[in-house]
Amino acid sequence: MSVMLDGKEGMEYMVMGNEAIVRGALEAGLKVASGYPGTPSSEIIERLSDVAKDAGIYVEWSVNEKVAAEVAAAASFAQLRSLASMKQVGVNVASDFLLHLAITGTRGGMVLVTCEDPAAHSSSNEGDSRGYARMMEFPLLEPGDFQEAKDMTKWAFEFSEEIGNLVMVRSVTRLSHASGNVKFGPLPRTEAQAEYRFSGAFLDPVAGPMISTGFGHRIQQEKLKKVREIFEDSPFNTYQGPDEPELLIITCSVGNLYCKEAIKALGIEDRVGLLKMGTTWPLPPNLIKKYLLMTDEILIIEEILPFLEDNVKVLAAEMVQEIGAKKFYGKHAGQIPSFGELSADLVIQSLADLLDLGYETVAQEYTDKASAAAFARAPQRELTFCPGCPHRASFWAIHNALELDGRQGFVCGDIGCYSLAALPTGFSTAKTGHAMGSGAGVASGFAKLRQFGMDQPVLAVCGDSTFFHAAIPALVNAVHHQADFTLIVLDNSGTAMTGFQSHPGLNINAMKDEVPALDIPAICQAMGARVEVRDPFDLEETQKTLNELMEYTEGTKVLVLKQACALSPEKKRVKSYNMQINEENCIGQDCGCNRLCTRIFRCPGLIWDEVKKVARIDEVICAGCGVCADICPAGAIVREEA
């Protein structure tokens, strides 16, 4: 059993921020949860799916974030408490539905949890989704520590029901993935009965149909007014410090932890005040005024965009006759960067500069020495596909097929492990890369430029999870408009990049139930595309098929390259082949492009022996896929059945 269910009321447990959010949802009586995987949010649905059957809740990995929001909304409409979870870029996908949901409102408490990735550690961008709360006019909460992550999530469901609208809870990487002590509360023992009432008047929030219309905007504005009033007395907004500080810090989220550490490190508890905001949209004006009156100098600390800073400044401008002119420090004035993660050192340095403390967090000389040492002594490592990854074989065949074709063909890329195709380790094959599914959409656009003289072959790639997430509409569009390009579906049997979460192409769901799997080739054939299926480890056949498809110009083609990820549970530590090097046959630097296997193919399982001047197999990490035997022109790499 999991501590998420077994954890006792009143006891403290060390849990991740995402687990604190899960416990808060369970304490609130959550019944339905949905999401799409993506770091740093994935653990929320994973932990909930672990306990789903014991807790009597329904949990799913939805096909994309918009559908996840729709699934959770349906539960809310039927008076159940629900949660939708996603990372920051997923909110962009969900935003179309969320904009309408903000108008119709909700019934059972519904919480949108977004986990964001400042510094883009595991993302293609570090987007800040807080702007959606302002644009869509629903309340935004930002927990400032692990206990608040639990308590605030629980309260968010009650609050959602009180105002009849979606509530957004925003976490960030250092809260979602770090751990801290959290005191657990009681778990409810309630039976839920779902019922969707729709026979009332059109705008009846309890018994009418849930249909988004412009008439709802006035109601939405009234809800927002009520939210401001509730936020004025929220216990999630706290102040620590003197009554008349020299400097007032206003912060939110993990900025709260960094500020506390900085104030303690500098010993300035009697000089600065710390206003931690948990309710960051809409801001409660009277509370903000109360603290702005304390001093004339304000430093605002938050990650990524100046969301809190801008909103505080708007209120300050509106109140200027009551509070007087203030001097603000933060992102606009340059004390806090507008990109990347914050740290305690950054906050300490900003406070030391503003208060003229003559304090240096880390001497520049030390930083320079550390950087030089890291560059000189750390082993050179490059971003690359894992040993045995089918994507390396796929892009080897794709690259060689394009070279053989000779018409400057190119690949439109996508988001996933296969984004590495843009780098030398992917043979620099991908030439565009944007959102999930956009490779197919952009490629279909290129393919309609034939009438303007473009005769270059156009290819696109997407993963199997991405195929269901966002590539299907692009493929529908391409087939309908007879776009001449080839979509290559890199089917490695799972959402591999984020931890093998289930998707509609698999016969298992998030709760480990057996479910029908959707057949990708059959779907593509039903659309009217020409479809081929190959094993990417068969390099010769894959390349031959690609060249044939590039010659075929009558509409949209799909090549499904199906081979399970080397790290998937069914393949991990299971070798198809034992690999060896015949040193007598290895011609080393005289081979192809000067060590073809270790310099060009770059599988980490192949090592160049500087002493013997031959390739070697790294037995520790070689996955035994056997593909390298096919790329060796000298026949020096030998495979034997494992």
Side-chain angles (χ1 to χ4, degrees):
M1 289 289 284
S2 164
V3 71
M4 294 293 100
L5 281 185
D6 280 353
K8 305 298 183 187
E9 178 184 354
M11 296 290 290
E12 282 194 357
Y13 298 87
M14 178 169 280
V15 296
M16 289 175 59
N18 280 348
E19 292 172 329
I21 290 169
V22 166
R23 176 71 185 194
L26 292 171
E27 289 183 9
L30 174 82
K31 294 301 176 190
V32 173
S34 53
Y36 187 81
T39 305
S41 70
S42 300
E43 294 83 6
I44 293 173
I45 294 298
E46 287 178 345
R47 296 296 177 273
L48 285 169
S49 65
D50 290 342
V51 301
K53 290 177 179 172
D54 290 324
I57 61 177
Y58 173 73
V59 182
E60 73 168 39
W61 284 119
S62 302
V63 70
N64 64 31
E65 294 85 353
K66 176 173 177 283
V67 175
E70 291 161 345
V71 167
S76 171
F77 297 164
Q79 305 170 73
L80 301 183
R81 290 187 172 181
S82 64
L83 176 149
S85 168
M86 57 198 68
K87 66 183 296 182
Q88 81 277 5
V89 289
V91 184
N92 303 328
V93 180
S95 62
D96 189 10
F97 175 72
L98 294 176
L99 190 57
H100 295 280
L101 183 64
I103 292 286
T104 64
T106 55
R107 288 177 182 166
M110 179 176 171
V111 175
L112 170 69
V113 179
T114 69
C115 300
E116 313 206 343
D117 189 15
H121 294 293
S122 301
S123 308
S124 56
N125 63 62
E126 55 175 355
D128 187 330
S129 66
R130 292 179 296 177
Y132 281 114
R134 182 167 56 188
M135 183 180 81
M136 299 179 181
E137 300 175 297
F138 50 66
L140 169 66
L141 308 176
E142 295 190 70
D145 59 32
F146 304 98
Q147 185 68 48
E148 272 199 354
K150 195 273 288 182
D151 295 340
M152 194 177 274
T153 301
K154 180 184 178 185
W155 180 74
F157 286 94
E158 301 163 8
F159 180 46
S160 170
E161 287 179 359
E162 182 177 355
I163 62 169
N165 215 335
L166 177 71
V167 174
M168 179 174 173
V169 175
R170 181 209 190 218
S171 179
V172 294
T173 301
R174 299 299 165 186
L175 185 64
S176 286
H177 281 176
S179 297
N181 285 346
V182 175
K183 188 175 183 179
F184 283 11
L187 291 174
R189 305 290 180 191
T190 57
E191 295 295 325
Q193 177 64 49
E195 180 188 9
Y196 176 43
R197 300 173 185 165
F198 48 79
S199 302
F202 196 78
L203 293 180
D204 184 335
V206 177
M210 303 297 276
I211 298 175
S212 171
T213 72
F215 296 113
H217 196 198
R218 177 182 59 78
I219 300 170
Q220 195 178 1
Q221 291 282 306
E222 291 171 355
K223 289 178 182 177
L224 214 56
K225 183 179 177 183
K226 182 178 180 181
V227 170
R228 281 193 188 88
E229 294 170 356
I230 294 172
F231 282 179
E232 292 285 6
D233 300 316
S234 171
F236 297 120
N237 302 321
T238 60
Y239 176 78
Q240 290 178 290
D243 293 338
E244 296 182 359
E246 294 176 42
L247 179 74
L248 173 66
I249 302 172
I250 305 179
T251 190
C252 61
S253 189
V254 294
N256 175 52
L257 300 177
Y258 299 140
C259 289
K260 284 182 174 178
E261 185 175 341
I263 291 169
K264 184 177 181 181
L266 295 171
I268 52 175
E269 291 88 345
D270 58 342
R271 298 182 63 186
V272 302
L274 178 62
L275 175 61
K276 189 274 293 178
M277 296 300 298
T279 65
T280 47
W281 177 258
L283 289 175
N286 293 329
L287 181 137
I288 296 294
K289 181 169 72 174
K290 173 184 172 183
Y291 291 103
L292 290 182
L293 282 168
M294 285 180 162
T295 184
D296 291 333
E297 298 202 3
I298 299 101
L299 170 63
I300 300 180
I301 292 177
E302 60 190 317
E303 285 185 317
I304 315 181
L305 297 179
F307 179 82
L308 179 62
E309 181 176 337
D310 289 350
N311 293 327
V312 169
K313 285 179 176 176
V314 169
L315 287 178
E318 292 173 349
M319 304 168 180
V320 68
Q321 291 188 335
E322 300 170 80
I323 65 173
K326 303 293 178 183
K327 187 166 186 177
F328 285 95
Y329 304 100
K331 293 180 182 292
H332 290 297
Q335 289 79 22
I336 301 296
S338 293
F339 58 88
E341 284 191 304
L342 287 180
S343 67
D345 275 355
L346 277 171
V347 177
I348 289 172
Q349 193 62 62
S350 297
L351 286 172
D353 292 343
L354 288 173
L355 298 175
D356 196 21
L357 296 175
Y359 185 100
E360 282 195 18
T361 51
V362 177
Q364 189 59 44
E365 183 183 0
Y366 176 87
T367 303
D368 293 343
K369 282 184 178 178
S371 299
F375 181 78
R377 298 179 183 179
Q380 293 292 314
R381 298 181 63 189
E382 57 185 353
L383 290 170
T384 186
F385 297 114
C386 303
C389 176
H391 295 339
R392 177 181 288 101
S394 295
F395 285 107
W396 182 264
I398 294 168
H399 172 268
N400 291 343
L402 288 168
E403 289 293 305
L404 184 63
D405 180 87
R407 290 179 290 166
Q408 290 292 300
F410 57 93
V411 173
C412 296
D414 208 323
I415 301 296
C417 303
Y418 48 90
S419 299
L420 294 172
L423 302 178
T425 48
F427 320 113
S428 303
T429 313
K431 302 302 183 187
T432 72
H434 299 86
M436 293 182 69
S438 65
V442 171
S444 69
F446 277 124
K448 296 308 295 183
L449 303 182
R450 303 295 185 214
Q451 62 180 303
F452 303 108
M454 176 176 265
D455 60 358
Q456 297 161 272
V458 181
L459 309 178
V461 292
C462 74
D464 41 338
S465 186
T466 303
F467 175 81
F468 293 107
H469 179 282
I472 285 179
L475 184 60
V476 168
N477 188 70
V479 172
H480 176 69
H481 292 98
Q482 298 179 294
D484 167 25
F485 83 101
T486 301
L487 172 63
I488 303 165
V489 181
L490 304 170
D491 184 353
N492 60 6
S493 303
T495 315
M497 187 176 180
T498 51
F500 296 100
Q501 292 85 3
S502 59
H503 64 61
L506 306 176
N507 61 0
I508 192 168
N509 65 14
M511 298 192 294
K512 309 296 185 290
D513 294 323
E514 190 169 333
V515 291
L518 277 65
D519 186 278
I520 294 175
I523 291 171
C524 298
Q525 281 178 331
M527 289 185 195
R530 174 181 170 181
V531 180
E532 304 288 345
V533 181
R534 298 290 184 273
D535 179 350
F537 286 172
D538 188 339
L539 297 175
E540 183 178 350
E541 186 62 24
T542 299
Q543 180 181 324
K544 178 184 171 186
T545 304
L546 276 167
N547 282 120
E548 289 175 358
L549 291 174
M550 281 189 278
E551 290 294 329
Y552 183 80
T553 58
E554 297 179 18
T556 308
K557 296 88 62 176
V558 176
L559 172 61
V560 179
L561 294 178
K562 189 170 180 60
Q563 181 63 248
C565 173
L567 299 179
S568 63
E570 66 267 29
K571 290 194 71 174
K572 203 170 183 179
R573 291 186 287 276
V574 177
K575 289 186 177 183
S576 297
Y577 300 99
N578 293 317
M579 305 304 297
Q580 295 181 346
I581 301 292
N582 183 327
E583 295 184 2
E584 291 184 2
N585 287 354
C586 181
I587 54 178
Q589 292 171 335
D590 295 327
C591 176
C593 300
N594 183 5
R595 295 191 284 116
L596 182 70
C597 59
T598 54
R599 199 178 70 84
I600 305 298
F601 191 63
R602 281 187 168 92
C603 177
L606 285 166
I607 304 170
W608 177 244
D609 189 326
E610 288 284 357
V611 177
K612 292 185 176 180
K613 302 298 181 185
V614 294
R616 284 198 296 112
I617 301 293
D618 187 333
E619 299 286 350
V620 175
I621 63 173
C622 174
C625 68
V627 173
C628 55
D630 288 330
I631 62 105
C632 178
I637 304 177
V638 181
R639 64 185 169 213
E640 295 178 352
E641 295 280 348

